Amino acid sequence: MSQEKAPIYEALEQFRRMRIVPFDVPGHKHGRGNPELVNLLGSQCVSIDVNSMKPLDNLCHPVSVIKEAEQLAAEAFGAAGAFLMVGGTTSSVQTMILTCCKKGDKIILPRNVHRSVINALVLCGATPIYVNPDVDNRLGISLGMKLEQVEKAIQENPDAVAVFVNNPTYYGICSNLREIVKLAHDRNMKVLVDEAHGTHFYFGEGFPVNAMDAGADMASVSMHKSGGSLTQSSFLLIGKNMHPGYVRQIINLTQTTSASYLLLSSLDISRRNLALRGKESFQRVAELAEYARTEINRIGGYYAFGNELINQDSIYDFDPTKLSVHTLEIGLAGIEVYDILRDDYDIQIEFGDIGNMLAYLSIGDRKQEVERLVSALADIKRRYQKDKTGMLTQEYLSPQVVMTPQESFYSEKESLPVEKTEGRICGEFVMCYPPGIPILAPGEKITGQIIEYILYAKDKGCSMTGPEDEKIENLNVVKGE
């Protein structure tokens, strides 16, 4: 197949030229019924915001241009099959778990997963077997899964149906994916990989191994992050041992029947761009990130970490495009630097937590923007540096799992002030977003350390999400437990 083709985009362009009179949805009728929408997005955009029809195929059951686009994606990513996803990588992750797990099944996974993983466990009723990752005590961040930890979990839970792996973590850290796949497959377990931040692993040299090359069974690839497509668009990749028809049925349980052709065409075009130009594009990104790390570390106080962390175990590899920066040595939490950059310097970075910040670099970045970021960080150090005494350092807190996520989420609950929940079982999620890794998940015991962390993160200005109480003053806990 020719990777120069973009069948969905080409079909939309042909549709636009036909000047079809619309008596279907969407109701804005190519923008005529909503001029403010046209002013915002432009006539070219709204004119191809259309409904599924025979010439444009149907995402629920593709037979023509969408099917061809998925075949091109599978070839570009080296997968046996690919699915265009319009519910974000959240929907891809949930499909992976719902495909492999049902109520009562066990799945082995690290605890520092995105909330979408635990959401899927709430839906299907599977039991998580957590491999608690090591923590880098200096940086306060969770690392990858050690092989010995994975092997131990597999030996103790031979009836588990799957192993779930982050590749990479938000901070760029990778586990030994090839060996984890071998361990799991030797016990007939599927391997599911969250590659939300690893699209570029499929294009170029010098990157950690991607899931398909490592032999994984399914992988969720967030094209809208480093791949350049529109927000909310993603690919789900499958290996040769997965049944594509069944996977499609699982996707259709939760994914919309009114897929946006803006998202679909952006996936199509972005796949073509990466297939044709991805190798050189991501080489430039890696070089830009290395330049940024060098310049930030010259400032002093900050620590932009990279592949010097690799230990061939809990940090088996590192994503060279990640610009993760430890900020505590200048007396500021990552979220405080995040806020200052936005409010004082008009620079929006990806996220800040209590010890680190992440500036997301990808194919759209240029050296001049990186130099502006470096200059701002130097100025922030000069203006705002203070003593770090009394600042929390730990990002990851090992959970005490008491109930399954499904059992606790659907149990009878009561609402209590956060400060009075110690010793109780949480019935909802609490997390900073981004990155969306739960501090607390349904079924976990609330400890004094967790309460301290929640209150501290709120005080520092982290964006807290998850609880029913939007002010995060109360938590829902399992009644009577």
Side-chain angles (χ1 to χ4, degrees):
M1 302 182 72
S2 171
Q3 289 294 329
E4 293 185 357
K5 293 194 67 178
I8 299 174
Y9 166 72
E10 292 160 8
L12 282 170
E13 284 298 298
Q14 183 177 357
F15 172 82
R16 192 206 306 271
R17 291 192 295 269
M18 291 172 66
R19 302 177 66 86
I20 295 289
V21 178
F23 285 103
D24 61 350
V25 297
H28 60 67
K29 306 292 181 173
H30 299 178
R32 291 192 298 271
N34 194 341
E36 290 180 342
L37 187 65
V38 177
N39 290 337
L40 174 66
L41 299 178
S43 59
Q44 190 167 1
C45 180
V46 295
S47 69
I48 57 171
D49 178 35
V50 294
N51 192 29
S52 295
M53 59 189 75
K54 283 187 177 181
L56 298 179
D57 211 354
N58 188 306
L59 187 61
C60 294
H61 188 83
V63 295
S64 58
V65 293
I66 294 177
K67 183 177 182 179
E68 186 180 355
E70 291 185 334
Q71 290 169 339
L72 284 162
E75 182 182 81
F77 283 85
F83 301 86
L84 276 63
M85 306 294 288
V86 295
T89 306
T90 288
S91 128
S92 299
V93 165
Q94 291 177 346
T95 295
M96 293 196 303
I97 292 174
L98 294 175
T99 298
C100 297
C101 301
K102 61 183 182 301
K103 188 174 180 65
D105 284 343
K106 294 178 182 177
I107 179 171
I108 296 168
L109 67 162
R111 175 55 178 76
N112 58 322
V113 291
H114 189 264
R115 71 168 294 173
S116 58
V117 177
I118 303 175
N119 282 347
L121 300 183
V122 170
L123 293 174
C124 71
T127 300
I129 305 298
Y130 289 126
V131 175
N132 284 319
D134 283 1
V135 172
D136 183 299
N137 291 322
R138 175 185 176 184
L139 303 176
I141 63 172
S142 53
L143 307 177
M145 293 192 290
K146 287 184 172 181
L147 272 182
E148 64 183 56
Q149 294 172 326
V150 177
E151 188 169 22
K152 182 173 182 288
I154 288 174
Q155 289 173 347
E156 293 177 352
N157 300 274
D159 54 340
V161 298
V163 177
F164 188 97
V165 187
N166 295 321
N167 191 56
T169 69
Y170 224 133
Y171 297 102
I173 291 163
C174 297
S175 303
N176 189 345
L177 187 56
R178 287 190 194 276
E179 292 302 317
I180 290 173
V181 169
K182 289 178 183 176
L183 287 173
H185 284 178
D186 284 347
R187 294 297 187 98
N188 295 315
M189 299 177 188
K190 300 295 187 187
V191 177
L192 317 178
V193 183
D194 182 347
E195 287 189 307
H197 301 280
T199 302
H200 47 289
F201 289 3
Y202 291 86
F203 304 94
E205 299 171 353
F207 293 132
V209 66
N210 64 65
M212 292 295 104
D213 278 352
D217 298 287
M218 304 182 81
S220 299
V221 179
S222 196
M223 275 291 281
H224 73 90
K225 291 186 170 71
S226 61
S229 64
L230 289 178
T231 297
Q232 201 176 307
S233 57
S234 176
F235 282 126
L236 174 62
L237 309 178
I238 60 171
K240 61 184 179 181
N241 294 321
M242 300 303 299
H243 191 293
Y246 181 67
V247 174
R248 178 84 66 192
Q249 286 187 320
I250 298 297
I251 290 171
N252 287 340
L253 289 177
T254 57
Q255 184 160 257
T256 179
T257 56
S258 302
S260 166
Y261 278 85
L262 300 176
L263 298 181
L264 294 176
S265 59
S266 83
L267 281 170
D268 201 20
I269 293 167
S270 299
R271 180 271 313 153
R272 180 174 67 179
N273 180 50
L274 296 188
L276 300 179
R277 293 173 285 275
K279 184 175 180 179
E280 55 268 33
S281 295
F282 287 122
Q283 182 61 40
R284 287 194 298 270
V285 175
E287 291 170 356
L288 193 59
E290 187 56 36
Y291 168 76
R293 277 190 289 272
T294 300
E295 294 301 306
I296 291 169
N297 287 333
R298 281 178 179 166
I299 297 170
Y302 299 106
Y303 175 34
F305 47 93
N307 60 13
E308 71 279 358
L309 297 179
I310 293 173
N311 60 20
Q312 298 297 312
D313 197 1
S314 57
I315 310 174
Y316 183 77
D317 209 343
F318 185 83
D319 176 4
T321 72
K322 288 291 181 291
L323 184 55
S324 305
V325 183
H326 188 61
T327 64
L328 285 187
E329 294 303 314
I330 67 166
L332 294 175
I335 186 61
E336 292 175 309
V337 177
Y338 170 102
D339 286 337
I340 295 169
L341 282 169
R342 183 194 61 246
D343 296 342
D344 293 3
Y345 298 89
D346 297 327
I347 295 173
Q348 181 63 58
I349 60 172
E350 175 68 6
F351 81 89
D353 50 36
I354 66 172
N356 304 277
M357 52 161 269
L358 173 67
Y360 211 100
L361 300 186
S362 194
I363 55 179
D365 287 296
R366 301 172 298 176
K367 190 173 182 179
Q368 53 261 48
E369 281 90 15
V370 169
E371 289 173 341
R372 181 174 169 185
L373 172 63
V374 172
S375 176
L377 289 174
D379 201 41
I380 288 171
K381 181 193 173 188
R382 179 182 62 81
R383 294 173 60 194
Y384 295 100
Q385 184 173 13
K386 59 186 178 182
D387 191 339
K388 69 171 185 175
T389 302
M391 299 188 74
L392 286 184
T393 60
Q394 196 81 348
E395 299 291 347
Y396 175 74
L397 304 174
S398 297
Q400 298 179 37
V401 181
V402 182
M403 302 169 68
T404 68
Q406 186 183 73
E407 184 183 6
S408 53
F409 187 84
Y410 289 113
S411 66
E412 187 177 1
K413 295 184 280 284
E414 59 181 323
S415 179
L416 295 176
V418 172
E419 297 88 341
K420 295 184 178 180
T421 59
E422 185 171 357
R424 302 297 296 272
I425 300 171
C426 191
E428 56 187 354
F429 291 92
V430 185
M431 72 205 78
C432 300
Y433 190 86
I437 298 167
I439 302 166
L440 272 173
E444 296 175 358
K445 182 171 283 191
I446 303 170
T447 65
Q449 188 181 20
I450 287 172
I451 292 171
E452 180 188 12
Y453 183 99
I454 292 171
L455 297 176
Y456 181 87
K458 279 183 61 181
D459 182 63
K460 288 296 182 182
C462 290
S463 178
M464 308 289 287
T465 66
E468 187 177 304
D469 175 18
E470 64 180 27
K471 295 182 179 179
I472 327 291
E473 293 173 350
N474 293 277
L475 291 180
N476 284 335
V477 298
V478 177
K479 197 167 185 177
E481 296 290 343

